[in-house]
Amino acid sequence: SYRVQVSASSAFSTTVVDQSGLPAVSNAITGLHASTAYYWRVNATNSAGTSAWSGSFGFTTVSGPPPVTVWKLVSLPVTAADPRTTVLFPTAISSAYAYNQAGGLTATDVLSNGVGYWIKFGADQTTNFQGTPILSDTVDVQSGWNLIGSISSSIPVSAVSSLPPNITTSNFFTYRNGYEVSQTIDRGNGYWVKVTQAGKLVLSSSSAATSANRVIISLTGETPPPPPEDVMSVGSGETPRQYALAQNFPNPFNPTTAIQFDLPRAGHATLKVYNTLGEEVASLVGGDLPAGSFQAVWNASGMPSGTYFYRLISGDFSQIRKLVLMK
């Protein structure tokens, strides 16, 4: 077990928090004052005895709660006269981010039909689309994860067909402060789906659409790539001198862990997680990033306990580290 102390003094002459018997390697602390510098330290106890105190670590609380923001998966389900993000989503507080496997997430200000997008809003909301309805659409997909759009009416995922026929797919995922498996493709939403081969997905509201070409949905434990916000810039703002991939923290973890990495120059970067068979189970980063220090978060709630490996590639740099999920 662990004992944690928090103090306003680096000498710990007095403490504002002194909690012992903690079973986990992470713990939430409440009741601290805003805009105040604090220090914390920890020791551990097992059958062999109690360790010395760790070194002290400092932090400063913020002045108030951060603004509430919401990432949503959206799409354009009509033929719009003006498909710009600022016209379709005037309350958006970010660009629209589309996904392609070569470049990861890329920002755009013009939306296309059949494509899903990440957009951040100041609060959860619904949007009324003006334009010519789209009753059917054929969406190009590549082997792997794809972010697709919708048509003007809701259809069950069981009605999605493909060219060539019977492409095998994962579940279709929507996002509401976390990924959820969706049973329908709803108007105006975007959806992640992983396919086993390149081809086309056919979305149609027609009851006459053939059932012979339906996709085959195969359940997996994988989850789609994270929203853009889950790759955050961290550090002092100084440009790192060299590439680096830090050990994830906490480790072991359950179910989320943070991975920090440094890029000394701008460029394309990928950060992926693999199981012990070498199979990719998560793509945390996949796109162009500026020089700087970054943190990605992996939510492994859908994965079994065990050992995994994560790999950072950017330019000529490549490094692999091990992490342990313990549920």
Side-chain angles (χ1 to χ4, degrees):
S1 65
Y2 301 91
R3 180 182 177 185
V4 173
Q5 289 185 338
V6 178
S7 174
S9 165
S10 60
F12 289 85
S13 53
T14 60
T15 59
V16 294
V17 173
D18 190 346
Q19 297 179 352
S20 58
L22 301 173
V25 295
S26 62
N27 187 51
I29 301 295
T30 60
L32 302 180
H33 295 294
S35 303
T36 303
Y38 290 98
Y39 302 87
W40 68 276
R41 63 183 182 180
V42 62
N43 68 15
T45 299
N46 60 20
S47 58
T50 299
S51 71
W53 286 107
S54 68
S56 65
F57 303 88
F59 65 94
T60 301
T61 53
V62 297
S63 58
V68 176
T69 58
V70 179
W71 281 104
K72 294 188 67 175
L73 288 175
V74 304
S75 62
L76 179 57
V78 299
T79 302
D82 190 340
R84 289 178 297 167
T85 306
T86 52
V87 174
L88 298 170
F89 303 98
T91 59
I93 57 176
S94 77
S95 297
Y97 289 87
Y99 177 79
N100 67 78
Q101 294 172 7
L105 292 172
T106 54
T108 180
D109 289 323
V110 178
L111 273 61
S112 300
N113 298 120
V115 180
Y117 299 91
W118 284 112
I119 296 182
K120 183 193 279 187
F121 298 90
D124 199 8
Q125 60 189 279
T126 57
T127 303
N128 293 319
F129 296 96
Q130 302 296 321
T132 304
I134 297 175
L135 302 181
S136 64
D137 200 2
T138 301
V139 181
D140 291 325
V141 291
Q142 300 297 318
S143 177
W145 285 108
N146 296 266
L147 186 49
I148 68 168
S150 63
I151 57 176
S152 295
S153 58
S154 296
I155 62 171
V157 297
S158 58
V160 177
S161 56
S162 66
L163 299 171
N166 310 129
I167 287 179
T168 300
T169 77
S170 68
N171 282 316
F172 289 74
F173 291 89
T174 187
Y175 189 86
R176 296 182 180 89
N177 293 320
Y179 282 114
E180 300 176 2
V181 174
S182 181
Q183 301 302 323
T184 56
I185 305 294
D186 293 323
R187 168 187 169 94
N189 290 347
Y191 296 88
W192 283 105
V193 62
K194 190 173 187 179
V195 301
T196 57
Q197 65 184 94
K200 300 178 185 294
L201 298 185
V202 181
L203 313 179
S204 177
S205 60
S206 172
S207 59
T210 178
S211 60
N213 297 344
R214 297 285 193 257
V215 297
I216 300 172
I217 298 177
S218 177
L219 306 183
T220 71
E222 294 184 67
T223 54
E229 190 80 340
D230 282 356
V231 181
M232 299 179 293
S233 178
V234 296
S236 63
E238 297 182 0
T239 301
R241 295 183 178 181
Q242 60 186 11
Y243 289 100
L245 177 62
Q247 184 64 52
N248 65 299
F249 181 84
N251 189 45
F253 69 98
N254 179 30
T256 60
T257 189
I259 300 171
Q260 292 194 13
F261 58 96
D262 293 340
L263 302 178
R265 53 182 174 269
H268 189 80
T270 61
L271 179 61
K272 298 183 178 182
V273 183
Y274 301 86
N275 61 22
T276 54
L277 299 177
E279 299 169 330
E280 179 186 328
V281 297
S283 177
L284 306 182
V285 178
D288 293 332
L289 291 175
S293 298
F294 300 90
Q295 176 178 283
V297 176
W298 183 33
N299 185 335
S301 56
M303 305 302 297
S305 296
T307 299
Y308 295 86
F309 299 88
Y310 58 100
R311 183 183 188 186
L312 174 68
I313 298 177
S314 184
D316 295 331
F317 176 81
S318 176
Q319 186 175 357
I320 298 174
R321 286 186 178 272
K322 181 172 70 174
L323 68 170
V324 178
L325 173 61
M326 187 178 296
K327 295 186 175 181

